[in-house]
């Protein structure tokens, strides 16, 4: 039981409480020391360490250290340290509490030996990460954070339902590889939702760019990668994940090409890169497991670096949209350099971290005779370099104005000087990316299985150099097709951001006064109208006042039908309001959600 | 399409194929060059010509959540009167982090969002 004090979560949670109560200056120390202590705890854990404790009727394994949890524990503690350093100048008490709890909960997921502990940390992680988004304290971040929370609460409930079904079927709570079945399917959906797999991915690109500059660095590291860990633990070799992972990689990279907001562009690349890892989980061979782990490790480092680089631009200029940036290269040389290290790492340029991790996955697909997977993943790598290595830096630092003037005197944009802490964090991360690329054995020594892959050979390097060179030439050829213009791309978050509003407008527009001339034939006609409201969303909404002049008598005649009553209820639920919905509506919606949860719970217990 | 670049790209492609010949190349010589060049073209065409017409919307498609050009709440800049003369778009009041809006509902940048 004393070993519980060595749990890497403990220093993070103590730090999280401390930063909330101590003065800012002391908090600066705590936020650095807490991840350091967690890193020390991770390093001191020996393989096979296991701490169990009784809870109700079950024996829970709250700490399980083995070869798979170690690389994730190391990188989670490491990136928490780096991102906390990056945020030294910008983060305040409440935000620091949120990020430390978030990072700690992600480590709790990694070291959870049973499904109940996993679920508890999973939910803490979801809630803490919501607070990381809310810490931006703008209305936009508030709304994005709430949408994020709803999606993740739904995912968490699927996980809980899956765990309960699993418990009732097997009588065991151990977190091991799952047998196919209802429980495994529910848990798998919860995991892939958290990994950001289309069509359950929109929360990621919706919420991550709305956090603070340092908050986004934290967000990019933990949620998706702890989902990758959970998939590696529970579903290695699930064939469906190969197809889903490849689709994910393609989806992310294509939407990234269209994106204008540079932090959102990088969020799409998280989806794409996690697609590589999910594909590797699906392949499931020893080499693929190593590849997924190594790529998760390297991905956290270079994606953190990329987001720190564009975060530095946002911090210095207040701008994150490509169409209002450009002409900064001469005045933000350091940020540009560090960003480019991240960009060539994610593009798997030889001597940088992506080359020694991503190529393991491609090679594992090749060894498993999945030729089409190899080709698709290589094309996705092309797209990664195209948008993170060419388009984004071109638009952000150069643009039509070129590298810009050497001093801010008379320049269109006035970048503020960056704090030293940001430069230090970026420099350290850039150094780590280079180090892992030059000495891959450092990375391979951490992997769960012995790595037999040899990244550097003349053929591999030559092929990669050719791919990247011709990506650059292709970009040069078609650069006119890639202008930075202000726009948004529709994605599936439209379903919960715009669709309810459209329905509300339609219902409000027709309101209680529709079908005035034919009350007798009202029922079938109204049923048809209802179906139309639900499906036909392209019709331009008319103002709610358009129909209100129709005689009130018709309304009274109609009010006797059940459909009219339900229509009034709908009108009230979807009524356009200033601020939150009224109290009865909130209660009604809450009751529906609670009822649905109860049905889910009861049905899962009966299984 | 950049017509000036076309002959250079074609020439480079031939060189790419020739370089591969003496080495241990996968499938066919110029494999990497082909993946790079045709992959880029394929992705840009799919994204810009097929997908973009379907999903492209004006920036204020989600009116409340439109990302403004300038996001002062994360901008560590003190804009002086002198700067303001250079660019009217930057004509915002000096904004330090300490001036952050106290609640979710009175962000100066989105003041019109709810009203």
């Amino acid at each position: 039981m004393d070993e519980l004090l060595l749990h890497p979560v403990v220093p993070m949670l103590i730090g999280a409480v401390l930063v909330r109560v101590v003065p800012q200056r002391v908090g600066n120390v705590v936020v650095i020391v807490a991840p350091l202590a967690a890193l020390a705890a991770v390093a001191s854990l020996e393989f096979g360490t296991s701490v169990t404790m009784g809870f109700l009727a079950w024996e829970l394994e709250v700490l399980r250290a083995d070869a798979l949890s170690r690389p994730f524990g190391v990188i989670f503690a490491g990136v928490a340290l780096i991102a906390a350093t990056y945020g030294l100048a910008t983060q305040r008490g409440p935000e620091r509490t949120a990020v430390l709890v978030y990072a700690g909960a992600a480590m709790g997921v990694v070291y959870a030996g049973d499904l109940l502990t996993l679920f508890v940390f999973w939910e803490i992680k979801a809630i803490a990460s919501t607070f990381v988004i809310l810490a931006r304290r703008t209305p936009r971040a508030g709304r994005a954070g709430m949408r994020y929370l709803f999606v993740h609460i739904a995912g968490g409930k699927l996980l809980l339902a899956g765990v309960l079904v699993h418990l009732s079927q097997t009588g065991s709570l151990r977190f091991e590889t799952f047998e196919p079945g209802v429980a495994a399917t529910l848990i798998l959906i919860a995991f892939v939702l958290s990994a950001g797999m289309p069509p359950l991915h929109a929360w990621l690109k919706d919420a991550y760019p709305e956090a603070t500059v340092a908050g986004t660095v934290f967000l990019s590291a933990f949620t998706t990668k702890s989902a990758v860990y959970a998939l590696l633990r529970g579903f290695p070799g699930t064939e469906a994940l190969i197809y889903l992972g490849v689709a994910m990689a393609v989806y992310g990279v294509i939407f990234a090409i269209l994106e204008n907001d540079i932090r959102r562009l990088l969020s799409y690349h998280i989806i794409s890169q996690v697609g590589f890892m999910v594909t590797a989980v699906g392949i499931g061979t020893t080499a693929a497991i190593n590849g997924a782990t190594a790529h998760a490790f390297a991905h956290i480092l270079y994606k953190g670096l990329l987001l720190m680089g564009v975060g530095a631009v946002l911090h210095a200029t207040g701008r994150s949209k490509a169409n209002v940036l450009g002409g900064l290269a001469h005045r933000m040389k350091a940020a540009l350099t560090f960003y480019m290290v991240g960009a060539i790492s994610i593009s798997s340029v030889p001597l940088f971290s992506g080359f020694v991790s991503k190529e393991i996955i491609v090679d594992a697909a090749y060894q498993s005779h999945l030729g089409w997977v190899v080709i698709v993943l290589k094309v996705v790598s092309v797209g990664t370099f195209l948008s993170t290595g060419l388009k984004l830096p071109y638009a952000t630092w150069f643009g039509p104005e070129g590298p810009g003037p050497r001093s801010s005197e008379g320049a269109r944009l006035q970048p503020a000087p960056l704090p030293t802490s940001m430069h230090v964090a970026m420099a350290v991360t850039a150094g780590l990316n280079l180090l892992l690329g030059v000495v891959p054995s450092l990375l391979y020594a951490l992997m769960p299985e012995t790595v037999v892959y040899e990244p550097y050979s003349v053929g591999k390097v030559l092929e990669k150099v050719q791919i990247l060179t011709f990506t650059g030439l292709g970009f040069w050829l078609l650069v006119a097709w890639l202008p930075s213009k202000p726009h948004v791309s529709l994605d599936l978050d439209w379903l919960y951001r715009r669709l309810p509003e459209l329905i509300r407008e339609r219902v409000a527009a027709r309101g209680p006064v529709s079908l005035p001339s034919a009350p007798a034939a009202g029922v079938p006609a109204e049923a048809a109208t209802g179906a139309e409201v639900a499906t036909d969303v392209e019709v331009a909404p008319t103002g709610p006042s358009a129909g209100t002049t129709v005689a009130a008598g018709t309304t009274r005649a109609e009010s006797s039908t059940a459909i009219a009553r339900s229509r009034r209820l709908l009108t009230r639920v979807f009524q356009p309001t200033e601020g939150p919905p009224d109290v009865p509506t909130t209660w009604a919606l809450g009751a529906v959600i609670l009822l649905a949860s109860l049905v889910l719970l009861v049905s899962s217990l009966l299984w | 399409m950049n017509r000036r670049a076309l002959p250079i790209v074609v020439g480079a492609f031939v060189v790419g194929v020739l370089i591969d010949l003496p080495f241990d190349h996968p499938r066919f010589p110029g494999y990497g060059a082909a993946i790079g060049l045709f992959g880029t073209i394929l992705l840009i065409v799919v994204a810009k010509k097929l997908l973009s017409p379907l999903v492209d919307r004006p920036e204020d498609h989600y009116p409340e959540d439109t990302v403004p050009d300038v996001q002062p709440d994360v901008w560590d800049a003190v804009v002086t009167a002198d700067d303001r003369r250079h660019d009217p778009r930057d004509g915002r009041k000096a904004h330090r982090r300490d001036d952050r809006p106290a609640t979710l509902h009175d962000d100066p940048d989105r003041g019109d969002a709810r009203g």
Side-chain angles (χ1 to χ4, degrees):
Chain A
M1 204 63 194
D2 291 344
E3 284 165 313
L4 196 57
L5 292 175
L6 289 175
H7 199 303
V9 169
V10 174
M12 300 297 263
L13 294 185
I14 294 175
V17 175
L18 279 181
V19 291
R20 193 73 181 86
V21 293
V22 298
Q24 175 74 11
R25 204 169 291 173
V26 186
N28 285 345
V29 179
V30 173
V31 81
I32 298 297
V33 170
L36 267 179
L39 196 57
V42 168
S44 68
L45 279 177
E46 287 166 15
F47 287 174
T49 306
S50 171
V51 179
T52 55
M53 54 189 281
F55 174 75
L56 301 180
W58 301 291
E59 188 79 356
L60 302 186
E61 189 177 13
V62 290
L63 175 60
R64 171 181 61 183
D66 62 10
L68 184 57
S69 54
R70 188 175 61 168
F72 285 90
V74 170
I75 192 59
F76 280 1
V79 77
L81 178 61
I82 289 168
T85 311
Y86 183 76
L88 272 182
T90 57
Q91 292 189 306
R92 292 289 175 271
E95 184 176 357
R96 284 177 172 168
T97 302
V99 295
L100 287 179
V101 172
Y102 176 39
M107 298 178 79
V109 166
V110 164
Y111 285 102
D114 68 275
L115 292 167
L116 196 58
T117 312
L118 174 84
F119 169 74
V120 170
F121 280 119
W122 196 266
E123 292 291 62
I124 295 175
K125 177 166 66 70
I127 293 166
S129 51
T130 305
F131 278 97
V132 176
I133 298 162
L134 297 183
R136 173 89 181 259
R137 300 180 71 177
T138 58
R140 217 173 57 247
R143 287 186 290 269
M146 292 318 284
R147 290 194 293 268
Y148 172 93
L149 183 64
F150 284 132
V151 174
H152 279 272
I153 292 296
K157 296 296 103 46
L158 284 173
L159 177 61
L160 178 61
V163 168
L164 291 174
V165 175
H166 182 78
L167 178 64
S168 64
Q169 281 176 344
T170 66
S172 159
L173 274 174
R174 282 197 61 76
F175 183 20
E176 300 291 351
T177 307
F178 295 101
E179 298 298 323
V182 177
T185 309
L186 287 169
I187 295 174
L188 182 64
I189 295 173
F191 286 172
V192 298
L193 181 146
S194 199
M197 178 179 291
L200 306 172
H201 68 290
W203 57 270
L204 197 158
K205 73 104 202 175
D206 181 22
Y208 281 12
E210 301 299 347
T212 61
V213 287
T216 305
V217 180
F218 277 97
L219 289 167
S220 75
F222 298 111
T223 300
T224 50
K225 258 61 74 185
S226 44
V228 168
Y229 164 81
L231 286 170
L232 273 170
R233 177 74 76 183
F235 299 95
T238 307
E239 200 190 343
L241 288 177
I242 300 177
Y243 305 100
L244 292 169
V246 171
M248 199 173 161
V250 173
Y251 190 98
V253 89
I254 288 190
F255 269 81
I257 292 175
L258 298 178
E259 191 52 55
N260 182 40
D261 185 306
I262 53 180
R263 295 207 297 167
R264 190 155 282 133
L265 188 157
L266 292 176
S267 304
Y268 272 119
H269 275 292
I270 297 177
I271 297 175
S272 175
Q273 295 296 306
V274 173
F276 278 82
M277 300 167 213
V278 172
T279 308
V281 175
I283 294 171
T285 57
T286 309
I289 300 292
N290 280 333
T293 313
H295 199 46
F297 196 99
H299 175 82
I300 288 175
L301 284 178
Y302 61 64
K303 183 62 74 181
L305 181 55
L306 290 169
L307 284 166
M308 285 193 262
V310 297
V313 172
L314 179 57
H315 181 77
T317 67
R319 288 154 173 83
S320 72
K321 293 196 297 189
N323 67 305
V324 290
L325 283 163
L328 287 168
H330 272 321
R331 287 165 294 151
M332 296 196 74
K333 289 197 186 87
L336 172 60
T337 311
F338 295 137
Y339 174 87
M340 285 314 293
V341 172
I344 56 185
S345 297
I346 193 177
S347 315
S348 71
V349 172
L351 297 181
F352 291 89
S353 59
F355 185 70
V356 301
S357 64
K358 193 193 284 181
E359 303 305 316
I360 306 181
I361 296 176
V362 179
D363 191 59
Y366 182 73
Q367 302 295 344
S368 304
H369 309 291
L370 294 162
W372 66 275
V373 174
V374 174
I375 293 179
V376 176
L377 291 187
K378 282 183 176 170
V379 172
V380 170
S381 292
V382 166
T384 309
F385 182 53
L386 177 70
S387 48
T388 60
L390 297 169
K391 188 197 164 189
L392 195 156
Y394 172 74
T396 306
W397 280 277
F398 298 92
E401 299 157 67
R406 283 178 192 278
S407 86
S408 287
E409 191 67 37
R412 181 173 65 83
L413 293 180
Q414 310 285 336
L418 289 179
T420 316
S421 51
M422 284 191 176
H423 278 136
V424 168
M426 287 192 281
V428 167
T429 321
L432 285 173
N433 274 304
L434 185 60
L435 182 68
L436 291 185
V438 175
V439 195
S441 54
L442 290 174
L443 177 63
Y444 295 167
L446 277 170
M447 291 304 110
E449 312 277 348
T450 313
V451 178
V452 290
Y453 179 74
E454 178 50 59
Y456 291 107
S457 73
V458 175
K460 284 173 188 156
V461 172
L462 189 66
E463 186 195 338
K464 187 45 89 177
V465 170
Q466 283 205 356
I467 290 179
L468 296 171
T469 310
F470 280 89
T471 307
L473 289 170
F475 174 73
W476 187 34
L477 203 61
L478 297 179
V479 69
W481 290 12
L482 296 168
S484 301
K485 59 184 170 77
H487 74 108
V488 293
S489 298
L490 289 190
D491 203 336
L492 293 175
D493 51 345
W494 182 87
L495 291 176
Y496 50 83
R497 291 175 74 178
R498 197 80 177 89
L499 185 62
E501 201 182 323
L502 284 176
I503 295 175
R504 188 176 72 191
E505 281 168 1
R506 288 295 301 274
V507 172
R510 303 198 167 190
V513 289
S514 60
L515 304 173
S517 55
V523 176
E526 288 211 355
T529 314
E532 197 191 337
V533 166
T535 55
D536 177 17
V537 291
E538 288 301 326
V539 175
T542 53
S545 60
T548 45
T549 49
V550 182
T554 342
T555 317
R556 233 176 284 121
E558 218 185 319
S559 67
S560 58
T561 67
I563 285 176
R565 273 201 300 280
S566 60
R567 176 193 291 282
R568 273 205 306 281
L569 183 68
L570 263 183
T571 314
R572 198 154 122 201
V573 171
F574 292 114
Q575 198 175 35
T577 51
E578 302 289 324
D582 58 11
V583 175
T585 317
T586 313
W587 276 100
L589 286 176
V592 169
I593 292 169
L594 191 65
L595 202 66
S597 315
L598 281 175
V599 168
L600 203 62
L601 185 69
V602 169
S603 61
S604 63
L605 287 175
L606 289 179
W607 245 315
Chain B
M1 190 193 285
N2 186 347
R3 290 190 184 281
R4 211 156 36 101
L6 195 58
I8 300 171
V9 173
V10 172
F13 192 82
V14 174
V15 173
V17 173
L18 292 178
I19 284 180
D20 255 4
L21 284 175
F23 293 104
D24 175 26
H25 51 79
R27 290 164 202 263
F28 54 85
Y31 177 72
I35 292 260
L37 186 60
F38 298 118
T40 308
I41 295 172
L42 178 75
L43 284 173
I44 293 181
V45 167
V46 167
K48 282 289 177 181
K49 300 292 163 183
L50 296 180
L51 189 61
S52 177
L54 297 177
V55 300
D56 209 1
R57 290 292 181 279
E59 203 173 21
D60 55 356
H61 184 71
Y62 304 112
E64 281 195 325
D65 292 332
T66 309
V67 180
D69 281 356
V70 182
Q71 302 167 46
D73 64 299
V74 285
W75 187 12
D76 187 35
V78 180
V79 181
T80 63
D82 194 43
D83 297 332
R84 224 170 286 147
R85 269 206 305 282
H86 289 305
D87 187 347
R89 272 194 306 174
D90 293 344
R92 290 169 183 281
K93 70 175 169 64
H95 193 97
R96 304 286 312 183
R97 273 184 309 282
D98 304 343
D99 299 336
R100 262 192 196 179
T103 71
L104 280 178
H105 300 294
D106 53 13
D107 178 23
D109 202 54
R110 302 287 312 150
D112 54 333
R114 294 184 157 264

